Amino acid sequence: MKEAKFSTKSIWAGEKEQLAFGATQVPVVHSVSFGYDDMDEWYEVAIGNKPGHIYGRNTNPTVQAFEEKIRILEDAEAATSFSTGMAAISNTLSTLLFPGDRIVSIKDTYGGTNKIFTEFLPKQQVEVVLCNTGDHDAIEREVAKGCKVLYLETPTNPTVKITDIERMACAGKTVGAKVVVDNTFATPVNQNPLKLGADLVIHSATKFLGGHADALGGSVCGDKELVEAIYHYREINGATLDPMAAYLLLRGMKTLKLRVEQQNKNAAEIAEYLKTFDMVESVYYPGLPEHPHHDIAKKQMSGFGGMLSFAVKGGVATVRDLLPRLQYANRAANLGSVETVVGPSRTTSHVECTPAERAAMGIPEGLIRYSAGIEDIDDLKQDLAQAFQSIQTYAKR
């Protein structure tokens, strides 16, 4: 029998082993502990010689089903999970880096990730080098000087810049660096970093994987030895994924391809549509031919994603007037949901940063992050049109 395709895997993968009592859906196992009458069997499970569970902070059947599903979708050797996406990022970096080590990354990473680079890792005597995103020559030069980790995020949050994963992975491997890629914006539907040479791929499962804005979670997939080391750090430090959250993420992932393909289409149309408004200064979307990294995106992505951003004339004042007028968009610090979600970086992705820090990363205060949902595209377009028309009419009074 031929290997199943993506949509089939997203529905069936990782679940059969965890079904019980004839259930067709993975049960939510809330039990904190798992008992054994046979002391020898208990010991074998405890030391990992035999499958099973002993304590919820370590492993759980519902959580295990989620881990196996994302492992299969990313075609990885192993996967582990976390309570949030930031837990996945911080635990991974804490596992891989020690005092005296050097990490190379880009300036346009998510605000929380950037804070780890600029605030926390330097306190641990880890040298951090942040290069201009898209300047592949500069990144290669810094990597060639030696580094323990090369950390990439592509597309970036919120300006959706693109980095050539295959090229950077080659540079990283030349010096023995571990290459880590945050694949949250792309999802395994649109991009597979492991196939492009990365060692590890990270997801904030809260976003597109779950897709319904009702569960926090994170994951790391990739090289088995690395994932096992990261799991060990997580099991001791305790950033465990909750079983109910794992169930909700599993449920959401069943429709991952359907949702993401629709979000790809909606985002592409919205990006083109926004260019028709005089109040829009610039639109950021890798699917646009004029995007500076469009050719790289075409090479490594099968779809350009459901995320875009745009800058408006008038800066924060226009953002303040425009967003409340949208009827089909949640104004919230989230993305990847079935509903369209909008918000400025100053209150979402880079709320932890100062205006000066955001400016240094090329994020204008008038930038709006737009996570396209799965609504009818005509309704989303009309909603934008009425919102822009409304503030223009108001301004003339």
Side-chain angles (χ1 to χ4, degrees):
M1 189 171 179
K2 291 195 300 184
E3 182 180 3
K5 295 187 177 180
F6 191 95
S7 287
T8 305
K9 289 179 181 179
S10 69
I11 294 170
W12 293 95
E15 299 197 5
K16 184 177 180 180
E17 295 78 6
Q18 307 304 335
L19 298 178
F21 309 112
T24 61
Q25 303 301 312
V26 174
V28 184
V29 180
H30 284 296
S31 181
V32 169
S33 58
F34 301 83
Y36 295 87
D37 292 329
D38 186 313
M39 297 298 102
D40 292 330
E41 180 187 15
W42 186 1
Y43 178 73
E44 290 298 304
V45 172
I47 63 174
N49 286 344
K50 187 175 181 179
H53 309 277
I54 59 168
Y55 189 63
R57 174 167 52 79
N58 307 93
T59 62
N60 169 279
T62 316
V63 173
Q64 188 174 48
F66 163 74
E67 293 171 341
E68 182 64 3
K69 190 179 291 288
I70 187 58
R71 181 194 73 79
I72 291 171
L73 294 184
E74 283 288 7
D75 195 18
E77 290 181 355
T80 191
S81 61
F82 304 85
S83 53
T84 66
M86 279 308 304
I89 294 168
S90 61
N91 278 241
T92 297
L93 294 176
S94 293
T95 302
L96 298 178
L97 295 167
F98 295 90
D101 286 340
R102 187 171 188 263
I103 179 172
V104 174
S105 187
I106 54 178
K107 293 180 179 179
D108 289 86
T109 53
Y110 170 65
T113 309
N114 183 265
K115 278 296 177 184
I116 292 177
F117 291 152
T118 60
E119 184 176 334
F120 293 101
L121 287 181
K123 291 179 181 178
Q124 299 167 25
Q125 287 76 56
V126 173
E127 182 185 356
V128 179
V129 179
L130 301 181
C131 302
N132 289 327
T133 308
D135 190 342
H136 294 82
D137 291 339
I139 299 171
E140 286 176 330
R141 285 194 298 271
E142 290 297 338
V143 170
K145 296 176 184 177
C147 64
K148 186 76 172 291
V149 174
L150 172 59
Y151 186 97
L152 306 172
E153 178 183 304
T154 180
T156 60
N157 185 356
T159 51
V160 289
K161 293 177 182 176
I162 304 294
T163 301
D164 189 326
I165 298 173
E166 188 171 29
R167 178 178 171 182
M168 294 300 96
C170 182
K173 290 182 185 302
T174 300
V175 298
K178 302 305 179 187
V179 181
V180 183
V181 178
D182 185 333
N183 201 35
T184 298
F185 268 26
T187 81
V189 176
N190 292 323
Q191 182 172 269
N192 302 107
L194 297 177
K195 293 180 180 178
L196 296 170
D199 297 295
L200 296 168
V201 58
I202 290 177
H203 287 280
S204 173
T206 310
K207 311 305 191 297
F208 287 99
L209 294 188
H212 292 79
D214 57 5
L216 291 168
S219 69
V220 172
C221 310
D223 177 85
K224 187 173 186 292
E225 185 176 344
L226 292 177
V227 170
E228 287 178 346
I230 295 165
Y231 159 74
H232 179 59
Y233 186 93
R234 192 270 292 161
E235 71 167 333
I236 300 303
N237 285 275
T240 306
L241 179 63
D242 180 75
M244 188 64 203
Y247 168 81
L248 292 170
L249 295 172
L250 277 167
R251 185 186 66 177
M253 289 168 70
K254 289 177 184 289
T255 59
L256 180 62
K257 189 175 183 183
L258 289 172
R259 289 185 286 104
V260 169
E261 286 184 341
Q262 185 61 43
Q263 288 166 312
N264 288 348
K265 293 177 183 178
N266 282 356
E269 288 205 40
I270 292 297
E272 288 287 356
Y273 188 58
L274 283 166
K275 294 192 296 181
T276 67
F277 292 97
D278 291 337
M279 296 189 70
V280 174
E281 286 187 331
S282 54
V283 181
Y284 306 84
Y285 186 65
L288 294 174
E290 62 268 29
H291 187 283
H293 311 133
H294 177 66
D295 288 343
I296 298 173
K298 279 201 307 182
K299 181 183 72 169
Q300 69 188 24
M301 302 179 74
S302 57
F304 297 114
M307 292 299 307
L308 63 125
S309 57
F310 61 100
V312 292
K313 296 175 182 176
V316 174
T318 301
V319 173
R320 189 180 292 116
D321 287 343
L322 178 70
L323 295 193
R325 299 174 192 272
L326 292 172
Q327 298 176 19
Y328 297 125
N330 283 326
R331 289 155 289 278
N334 191 32
L335 59 93
S337 179
V338 290
E339 307 93 359
T340 293
V341 184
V342 297
S345 295
R346 63 199 293 267
T347 59
T348 57
S349 63
H350 288 71
V351 64
E352 301 93 349
C353 302
T354 66
E357 288 173 331
R358 287 192 289 271
M361 288 183 273
I363 304 173
E365 294 299 281
L367 187 79
I368 296 171
R369 191 177 68 176
Y370 189 102
S371 174
I374 63 171
E375 300 94 344
D376 189 287
I377 188 60
D378 290 336
D379 291 328
L380 294 180
K381 287 182 176 180
Q382 290 172 18
D383 194 24
L384 283 165
Q386 67 81 23
F388 276 113
Q389 179 62 39
S390 179
I391 61 174
Q392 287 177 326
T393 301
Y394 179 79
K396 292 177 181 177
R397 293 178 182 176

